[in-house]
């Protein structure tokens, strides 16, 4: 499966062929569903290629993966980080598919459920994605942007703050440009 994942990523990067990469990734998912037991490495691999799947498949994969991760509750190592990453990667797919309300709900649930386990970097992504969702839902996102800015400055991470604010700006400009072109038509 590792070789197939590598091949899928290689196809995506070298050939820029998402459909071909998805076919390879689907094969990985089919094989994983047949396994009685999933190892942590299997779950990490699946999470790393989650973005290759269409939304419906990604939602199903995350549901199954979270159930499989629950089997590790008594494991010596805390695997909460992997649950968080599965959810955040699914949020990215929701954003790409313009499912802003669902994404916002998931982000709020992740924040509430894992609040004490979130690193500042993960929390910065949550604020960023929430700001994007709120903007597209025509709601105020000033609080999220303010929280993001404060958080990143507290950790003296101006470089990543700049990148995240730029991402929010790009998302806002794309919507504004579309609205502007619609009003001219």
């Amino acid at each position: 499966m590792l070789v197939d994942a590598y091949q899928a990523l290689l196809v995506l990067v070298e050939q820029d062929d998402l459909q071909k990469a998805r076919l390879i990734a689907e094969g990985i998912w089919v094989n994983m569903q047949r396994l009685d037991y999933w190892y942590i490495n299997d779950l990490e691999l699946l999470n790393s290629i989650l973005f290759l799947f269409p939304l419906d498949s990604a939602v199903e994969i995350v549901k199954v993966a979270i159930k499989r991760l629950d089997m590790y509750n008594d494991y010596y190592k805390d695997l909460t980080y992997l649950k968080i990453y599965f959810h955040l990667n699914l949020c990215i797919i929701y954003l790409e598919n313009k499912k802003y309300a669902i994404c916002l709900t998931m982000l709020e649930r992740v924040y509430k459920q894992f609040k004490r386990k979130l690193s500042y970097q993960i929390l910065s992504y949550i604020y960023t994605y929430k700001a994007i969702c709120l903007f597209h839902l025509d709601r105020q996102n000033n609080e999220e942007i303010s929280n993001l800015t404060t958080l990143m400055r507290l950790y003296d991470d101006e470089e990543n703050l700049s990148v995240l604010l730029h991402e929010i700006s790009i998302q806002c400009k794309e919507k504004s440009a579309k609205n502007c072109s619609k009003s001219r038509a």
Side-chain angles (χ1 to χ4, degrees):
M1 287 188 293
L2 187 58
V3 171
D4 288 343
Y6 175 75
Q7 185 65 34
L9 294 173
L10 199 61
V11 164
L12 184 63
V13 171
E14 289 184 351
Q15 299 176 21
D16 195 27
D17 190 342
L18 180 60
Q19 292 307 322
K20 190 173 178 182
R22 279 188 171 161
L23 285 173
I24 298 168
E26 283 291 334
I28 296 168
W29 175 232
V30 167
N31 289 335
M32 285 194 71
Q33 290 180 80
R34 294 181 189 148
L35 299 175
D36 292 330
Y37 188 82
W38 290 7
Y39 294 96
I40 296 167
N41 291 342
D42 297 331
L43 291 158
E44 289 174 337
L45 173 72
L46 195 54
N47 183 56
S48 69
I49 62 168
L50 188 65
F51 71 95
L52 291 174
F53 294 93
L55 178 60
D56 293 342
S57 297
V59 169
E60 182 62 28
I61 289 168
V62 170
K63 284 180 187 175
V64 174
I66 297 300
K67 285 180 187 175
R68 296 288 183 128
L69 274 166
D70 287 341
M71 294 171 46
Y72 285 98
N73 282 342
D74 295 330
Y75 191 62
Y76 77 95
K77 183 179 175 186
D78 184 11
L79 297 176
T80 304
Y81 76 94
L82 198 47
K83 289 181 181 182
I84 294 168
Y85 290 155
F86 266 111
H87 285 106
L88 287 182
N89 287 339
L90 183 57
C91 284
I92 293 169
I93 297 170
Y94 278 130
L95 285 174
E96 290 172 351
N97 284 274
K98 300 178 181 7
K99 304 289 187 188
Y100 303 113
I102 297 170
C103 183
L104 184 60
T105 300
M106 178 172 276
L107 289 166
E108 290 170 351
R109 190 174 57 234
V110 167
Y111 178 77
K112 286 177 186 172
Q113 184 176 357
F114 302 111
K115 183 189 282 189
R116 300 204 186 278
K117 302 264 184 172
L118 298 175
S119 68
Y120 87 91
Q121 294 98 336
I122 295 298
L123 189 54
S124 71
Y125 294 132
I126 290 174
Y127 287 139
T128 300
Y129 301 156
K130 282 181 74 174
I132 292 168
C133 289
L134 290 169
F135 176 81
H136 284 286
L137 294 170
D138 295 321
R139 293 170 45 195
Q140 287 293 321
N141 65 359
N142 297 343
E143 184 178 344
E144 284 69 25
I145 293 172
S146 176
N147 288 342
L148 170 65
T149 303
T150 301
L151 175 70
M152 298 307 276
R153 288 194 172 137
L154 281 171
Y155 282 93
D156 196 27
D157 198 348
E158 293 290 330
E159 186 176 336
N160 282 328
L161 172 60
S162 177
V163 169
L164 294 172
L165 289 174
H166 182 69
E167 183 60 30
I168 293 169
S169 174
I170 289 171
Q171 291 284 334
C172 295
K173 285 179 185 174
E174 285 179 8
K175 181 182 178 190
S176 297
K178 287 178 185 174
N179 287 344
C180 183
S181 66
K182 285 181 183 176
S183 65
R184 289 183 189 160

